Structures are given as C-alpha cells and as structure tokens.
C-alpha cells in the first residue's frame, strides 16, 4: 500500500530544470521536495546571452538565484544533500538521502552532466573570464573573430571545430591523448573549412596573461584567446540506470514525449536527456514533466 506520508514527487537536482519543475509543482499545489548536491553546471556560466528574456545576458549563479527565489515564493523546500540510493516498489519510490528515507509517488531526475575539463591552472578564473568555454551552442557568438582552439580526441575536436567555424576563421584543432589520427575525408573537410590541425598531441597547457598556450609533444607552442574542450562529460544517470531505465549509446536517458523514462513514474529533465543541452530546453522538459505528474496524480490523464 502507498505510505500516507508519501510525497507526490521528489525532484533530484536544483539546476534550471529542477527549479523550474519545482515552480510548476508548487503552483499545482503538489506535495514535493527538492534535493540538491549544489553542483549545477549552470553555476559555471559567466554570462549567457541566449537565455530568453535577458537581452543583456545573465550569469549562471544569478539565474539560479532568481529561480530559487521564485520557487521560495510558493513555499518550495530546497534541501541540500545527496541521494545515495533510489529504489522502487510497486507504488512508490524510496530515496536514501544522507541517512534518511524519503518516499514519493513520482521522481523527476534533473541531475545534469559534469564536463570533463582540461588540467589548467586557474581554471575557475579562466571559465569566469571566458577564456575557457564549455558550450559553443551557448556562446559561440561571443568568440566571433577570436583565435580559438578545440582540445580533445581528434574526431570529437574536429566536429566541435566545424560547428565553431560559423563564428571565426581562426580555428585550430589540438589533439589530446593517443588518438591523433584522422581519415582523409576528415582532413579534407578541415582543409576546406580553413581549420588548422595539429597531429602531435598536447603535452602541457599553460596560462600566460589572458592567453592560453598549448605546448605540443614536438615542442611547438600554440597560443589562443579561447579554448573549447571536447573531452566529453559524465552524465549523472546512475540513479536511473540502477532502476533499469533505458539509455542511448551516449549514456543519455531515453524518455517519451511526457519526459517519462522506461521506469514508470520516473521522469527526467535537462542535460541527462538526449536532446540539446540548453537552459531553454531544460525549462521545457521540466514544465512537461511537472504537468504530466500533476495530471496523472489528479486523475486527469
């Protein structure tokens, strides 16, 4: 039987997706809790100019603060902690949170991703100042005309460099790791796009003033204004996968049009879902998931 103390929903993660879900659930007058470990990827954004409604741009920490303030206007409880384990019975979910159990009828996972970043001194400062950037979809416009390098395994770095070619013609691919080979077709595309490629791997990265210098294994030095890593990311889906949720080859959760995973009652929103990793997309995912949950629990669907 369902516990009488069961929440309508447990939201795991308080980035843009989780906080948006909280706002919707609160306005639907649901009983729920938001649990957050305090590691939202959005907090790394120095200034985003593609979040709708902010023509002068908005920083990630400011956006998160505004979303938290908006959620608290409706009495949303935001709890700091980590979900160590998530299990499911026939009728509900049980989450172990810092030694205590929380029972909920549904769960929204909004745990996001963790970018793999280069080993650079003062990485935090470089991210804040825009010398290291993580998302060309978010901020490619801001590197128009700048000297840009993409760092990573050759194939991934080439792909990201081709995307960035829209914004600058001063592009270089810097291979990292043992995979420095490329096919003839890939080299042809790089040459046609005017993108320079190094085939000796990066040995070290240094910061000199506002420039980042890559030292190649052959001793060559390459200085850039902006560095984009193409090192992949850790997708925080462990809780869902442990329940048997389906994921694609990249490790992203597969959801239906209502943001429900293959595990009934388990929803996913934001970067852990196989779609564009954007704040605007996270907003939409969260709104869909929260509305589906409300309608289902109210017997409307």
């Amino acid at each position: 039987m369902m516990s009488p103390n069961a929440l309508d929903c447990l939201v795991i993660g308080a980035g843009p997706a989780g906080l948006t879900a909280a706002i919707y659930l609160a306005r639907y007058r649901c009983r729920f809790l938001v649990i957050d470990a305090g590691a939202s990827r959005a907090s790394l954004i120095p200034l985003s100019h593609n979040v709708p409604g902010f023509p002068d741009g908005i920083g990630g920490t400011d956006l998160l603060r505004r979303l938290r303030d908006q959620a608290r206007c409706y009495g949303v409880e935001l709890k700091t902690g980590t979900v160590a384990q998530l299990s499911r019975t026939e009728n509900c979910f049980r989450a172990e949170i810092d030694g205590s159990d929380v029972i909920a009828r549904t769960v929204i996972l909004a745990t996001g991703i963790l970018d793999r970043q280069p080993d650079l001194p003062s990485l935090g400062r470089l991210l804040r100042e825009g010398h290291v950037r993580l998302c060309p979809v978010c901020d490619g416009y801001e590197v128009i005309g700048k000297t840009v390098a993409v760092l990573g395994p050759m194939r991934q770095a080439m792909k990201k460099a081709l995307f960035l070619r829209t914004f600058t013609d001063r592009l270089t691919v810097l291979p990292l790791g043992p995979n420095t080979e490329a096919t003839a077709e890939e080299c042809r595309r790089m040459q046609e796009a005017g993108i320079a490629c190094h085939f000796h791997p990066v040995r070290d990265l240094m910061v000199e003033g506002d420039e980042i210098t890559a030292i190649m294994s052959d001793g060559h030095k390459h200085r850039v204004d902006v560095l984009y890593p193409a090192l992949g990311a850790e997708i925080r889906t462990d809780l869902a996968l442990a329940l048997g949720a389906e994921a694609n080859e990249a490790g992203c959760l597969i959801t239906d049009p209502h943001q429900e995973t293959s595990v009934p009652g388990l929803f996913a929103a934001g970067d852990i879902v196989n779609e564009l990793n954007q704040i605007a997309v996270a907003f939409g995912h969260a709104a869909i998931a929260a509305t589906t949950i409300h309608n289902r629990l109210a017997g409307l669907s």
Side-chain angles (χ1 to χ4, degrees), residues 7 9-13 33 35 82-89 92-98 100-111 236-245 253 261 263-268 272:
L7 299 171
C9 185
L10 173 64
V11 180
I12 305 176
L33 172 68
I35 183 75
T82 301
V83 177
Q85 186 175 4
L86 186 65
S87 58
R88 186 177 183 273
T89 64
C92 63
F93 294 87
R94 183 183 300 272
E96 181 185 330
I97 303 173
D98 297 335
S100 300
D101 285 346
V102 172
I103 298 173
R105 300 167 71 182
T106 62
V107 172
I108 296 178
L109 278 178
T111 43
R236 295 169 171 148
T237 54
D238 291 353
L239 294 172
L241 297 180
L243 289 175
L253 294 179
T261 70
V263 177
L266 179 66
F267 295 76
I272 59 172

Side-chain angles (χ1 to χ4, degrees), residues 26 67-76:
L67 289 169
R68 286 192 295 267
D69 289 346
Q70 186 173 355
R72 289 185 178 116
C73 286
Y74 301 103
V76 172

Side-chain angles (χ1 to χ4, degrees), residues 51-272:
V51 178
F54 296 93
D56 297 323
I58 185 169
T61 55
D62 188 18
L63 178 64
L64 292 172
R65 178 187 59 77
R66 289 171 181 247
L67 289 169
R68 286 192 295 267
D69 289 346
Q70 186 173 355
R72 289 185 178 116
C73 286
Y74 301 103
V76 172
E77 181 183 359
L78 304 174
K79 181 176 179 180
T80 300
T82 301
V83 177
Q85 186 175 4
L86 186 65
S87 58
R88 186 177 183 273
T89 64
E90 183 177 354
N91 296 313
C92 63
F93 294 87
R94 183 183 300 272
E96 181 185 330
I97 303 173
D98 297 335
S100 300
D101 285 346
V102 172
I103 298 173
R105 300 167 71 182
T106 62
V107 172
I108 296 178
L109 278 178
T111 43
I113 64 176
L114 179 65
D115 296 279
R116 298 187 184 101
Q117 299 175 3
D119 184 13
L120 271 175
S122 307
L123 180 61
R125 176 181 67 83
L126 294 169
L127 284 166
R128 288 192 301 272
E129 295 177 356
H131 298 300
V132 174
R133 295 179 178 269
L134 302 176
C135 176
V137 175
C138 307
D139 52 35
Y141 189 91
E142 276 65 54
V143 303
I144 289 176
K146 293 186 177 181
T147 301
V148 176
V150 182
L151 173 76
M154 184 64 81
R155 188 152 293 160
Q156 293 94 306
M158 284 181 163
K159 185 177 179 180
K160 186 169 283 191
L162 282 170
F163 181 87
L164 283 161
R165 184 60 183 82
T166 299
F167 309 103
T168 181
D169 59 0
R170 299 160 64 187
L171 273 163
T172 302
V173 170
L174 302 177
L176 186 67
N179 183 12
T180 62
E181 296 181 358
T183 66
E185 174 62 18
E186 288 168 339
C187 291
R188 182 190 64 79
R189 291 192 69 190
M190 293 296 107
Q191 186 175 16
E192 289 180 352
I195 299 172
C197 292
H198 285 276
F199 291 93
H200 293 280
V202 172
R203 187 182 68 203
D204 197 9
L205 291 166
M206 299 174 57
V207 179
E208 298 178 346
D210 288 336
E211 286 189 331
I212 298 171
T213 300
I215 302 174
M216 317 306 291
S217 62
D218 63 353
H220 178 83
K221 293 184 178 181
H222 188 81
R223 294 180 177 84
V224 296
D225 300 322
V226 177
L227 180 72
Y228 276 94
L231 304 175
E234 174 191 340
I235 307 171
R236 295 169 171 148
T237 54
D238 291 353
L239 294 172
L241 297 180
L243 289 175
E246 294 181 7
N248 65 11
E249 291 183 2
C252 297
L253 294 179
I254 298 171
T255 62
D256 68 10
H258 301 286
Q259 298 305 129
E260 191 168 18
T261 70
S262 59
V263 177
L266 179 66
F267 295 76
D271 291 352
I272 59 172

Side-chain angles (χ1 to χ4, degrees), residues 25-67:
L25 290 169
R27 290 173 58 85
Y28 288 138
R29 306 184 74 181
C30 294
R31 292 181 63 247
F32 68 98
L33 172 68
V34 180
I35 183 75
D36 183 54
S40 172
R41 186 185 190 220
S43 65
L44 300 175
I45 300 171
L47 192 67
S48 177
H49 292 274
N50 72 339
V51 178
F54 296 93
D56 297 323
I58 185 169
T61 55
D62 188 18
L63 178 64
L64 292 172
R65 178 187 59 77
R66 289 171 181 247
L67 289 169

